[in-house]
């Protein structure tokens, strides 16, 4: 059986890796990318079959550039996955808290664990490109006085010891990831109950409200709305919207009306709602 090639931002042991295995299982070939742009590039040139991209966090909010990455490269959203984020402090086996001089991790991980380290002002916090990258470097370079904040998967992969688990300030910390493909995956209509849309409205009073009212009249439940400026046209905004629905026929009606009412209307993806 040929393995599915999945492009992720980050390396093995990262949260993107965890989402890839949760969504596709263990029988995958992982393509490690140093940026979200590289994930999209791998999809476009065909070296990856699927891609994983974080799109919003329950604490930090939306990762705004990723919306435009999907739209401008004509990439399709074929699914979504929610991951509860657990930040763990890990070191080389045999080392303890007293051995730590520096903690390295992604800036967001450091920010979300800031309260924990207030009690340890002697420890220097250092930003790195990825949570799992530091864990791998500790293993590869025998870094005795550096700790990483990373997922449990990283500790397992790189043979590290977790000396403090769930050190994030806010316990309920969840990230939504979208699953991407170059060509849209066509699911049976009865299985589709969520969609991601992008459109522009006229720069007139009430234009957006009119569009949203039409969605409501068509029994759409809007779960997300994000506005981004249209770079080419000052003071004009594109809206990225996620909607859920009970019947595909209601969504089909919404699409037909939106194509008439909104400018540059595009369906970015039709898929299953992961929260059901």
């Amino acid at each position: 059986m040929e393995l599915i090639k999945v492009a992720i931002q980050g390396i093995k042991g990262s949260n993107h890796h965890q989402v890839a295995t949760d969504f596709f299982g263990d029988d995958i070939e992982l393509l490690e990318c140093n940026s979200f742009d590289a994930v999209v590039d791998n999809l476009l040139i065909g070296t990856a079959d699927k891609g994983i991209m974080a799109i919003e966090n329950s604490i930090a909010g939306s990762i705004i550039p990723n919306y435009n990455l999907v739209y401008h490269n004509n990439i399709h959203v074929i699914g979504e996955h929610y991951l509860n984020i657990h930040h763990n402090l890990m070191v080389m086996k045999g080392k303890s808290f007293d051995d730590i001089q520096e903690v390295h991790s992604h800036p967001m991980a450091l920010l979300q664990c800031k309260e924990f380290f207030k009690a340890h002002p002697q420890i220097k916090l250092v930003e790195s490109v990825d949570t799992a990258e530091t864990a791998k470097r500790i293993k590869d370079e025998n870094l005795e006085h550096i700790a990483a904040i990373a997922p449990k998967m990283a500790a397992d992969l790189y043979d590290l010891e977790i000396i403090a688990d769930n050190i994030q300030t806010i316990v309920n910390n969840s990230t939504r990831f979208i699953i991407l493909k170059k060509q849209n995956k066509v699911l049976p209509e009865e299985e589709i109950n969520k969609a991601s849309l992008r459109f522009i409205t006229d720069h007139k009073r009430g234009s957006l409200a009119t569009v949203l009212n039409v969605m409501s009249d068509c029994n759409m439940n809007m779960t997300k709305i994000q506005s981004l400026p249209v770079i080419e046209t000052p003071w004009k905004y594109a809206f990225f919207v996620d909607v859920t629905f009970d019947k595909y026929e209601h969504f089909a009606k919404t699409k037909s009306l939106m194509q008439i009412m909104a400018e540059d209307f595009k369906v970015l993806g039709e898929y299953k709602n992961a929260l059901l």
Side-chain angles (χ1 to χ4, degrees):
M1 182 181 68
E2 188 173 350
L3 298 180
I4 299 173
K5 297 176 182 177
V6 182
I8 64 166
Q9 186 273 324
I11 68 170
K12 291 177 181 177
S14 64
N15 286 317
H16 280 81
H17 181 195
Q18 184 66 61
V19 172
T21 57
D22 287 349
F23 197 88
F24 295 108
D26 294 323
D27 294 328
I28 58 175
E29 180 181 337
L30 209 65
L31 300 180
E32 301 170 330
C33 303
N34 59 12
S35 67
F36 290 116
D37 291 80
V39 170
V40 170
D41 289 342
N42 274 282
L43 288 171
L44 293 175
I45 64 178
T47 49
D49 304 310
K50 308 290 195 318
I52 309 285
M53 180 183 286
I55 198 72
E56 59 181 310
N57 177 265
S58 59
I59 298 172
S62 298
I63 305 175
I64 292 177
N66 287 356
Y67 285 90
N68 272 331
L69 261 182
V70 172
Y71 169 71
H72 286 297
N73 290 284
N74 199 30
I75 298 296
H76 298 272
V77 182
I78 62 166
E80 64 177 2
H81 186 79
Y82 290 82
L83 183 70
N84 291 322
I85 305 299
H86 301 287
H87 291 311
N88 304 289
L89 188 66
M90 56 191 69
V91 294
M92 285 181 60
K93 284 191 172 177
K95 298 300 173 181
S96 69
F97 208 98
D98 293 335
D99 296 309
I100 301 172
Q101 296 175 359
E102 297 181 1
V103 172
H104 295 213
S105 195
H106 188 276
M108 191 59 66
L110 293 174
L111 179 65
Q112 292 174 358
C113 301
K114 185 171 63 174
E115 290 299 315
F116 178 85
F117 289 104
K118 280 186 177 180
H120 309 283
Q122 77 280 9
I123 295 177
K124 183 180 179 181
L125 303 181
V126 180
E127 295 183 357
S128 62
V129 296
D130 181 63
T131 53
E133 184 270 339
T134 296
K136 183 178 186 297
R137 196 156 49 84
I138 290 172
K139 172 67 173 176
D140 291 346
E141 301 176 19
N142 294 315
L143 302 177
E144 298 182 356
H145 300 293
I146 293 178
I149 300 172
K152 182 181 182 299
M153 176 185 272
D156 295 338
L157 277 173
Y158 303 119
D159 197 29
L160 301 182
E161 185 172 347
I162 294 175
I163 56 173
D165 60 0
N166 293 324
I167 65 172
Q168 64 270 14
T169 304
I170 301 175
V171 176
N172 296 320
N173 178 8
S174 177
T175 296
R176 177 181 175 234
F177 296 78
I178 50 178
I179 317 302
L180 304 171
K181 194 171 184 285
K182 186 177 179 180
Q183 290 86 23
N184 198 13
K185 178 182 179 182
V186 180
L187 287 172
E189 288 185 358
E190 61 270 17
E191 292 184 23
I192 298 172
N193 55 12
K194 189 170 184 178
S196 294
L197 316 172
R198 190 251 191 206
F199 59 88
I200 297 172
T201 60
D202 291 333
H203 192 53
K204 297 177 183 177
R205 187 177 63 186
S207 295
L208 177 61
T210 301
V211 170
L212 297 182
N213 283 334
V214 166
M215 288 186 181
S216 178
D217 292 342
C218 292
N219 298 304
M220 297 293 102
N221 176 38
M222 187 175 66
T223 61
K224 176 74 177 179
I225 183 167
Q226 179 72 51
S227 65
L228 289 178
V230 179
I231 304 300
E232 305 82 15
T233 311
W235 309 115
K236 200 163 193 177
Y237 291 86
F239 295 93
F240 292 82
V241 173
D242 291 334
V243 293
T244 60
F245 42 89
D246 294 326
K247 295 182 179 179
Y248 188 85
E249 61 193 67
H250 294 159
F251 178 59
K253 181 180 179 182
T254 302
K255 285 194 291 185
S256 62
L257 290 172
M258 291 285 288
Q259 286 167 349
I260 298 169
M261 296 182 60
E263 182 184 335
D264 201 21
F265 172 69
K266 184 177 182 181
V267 177
L268 302 177
E270 302 175 5
Y271 47 95
K272 292 182 182 179
N273 182 2
L275 291 181
L276 291 181

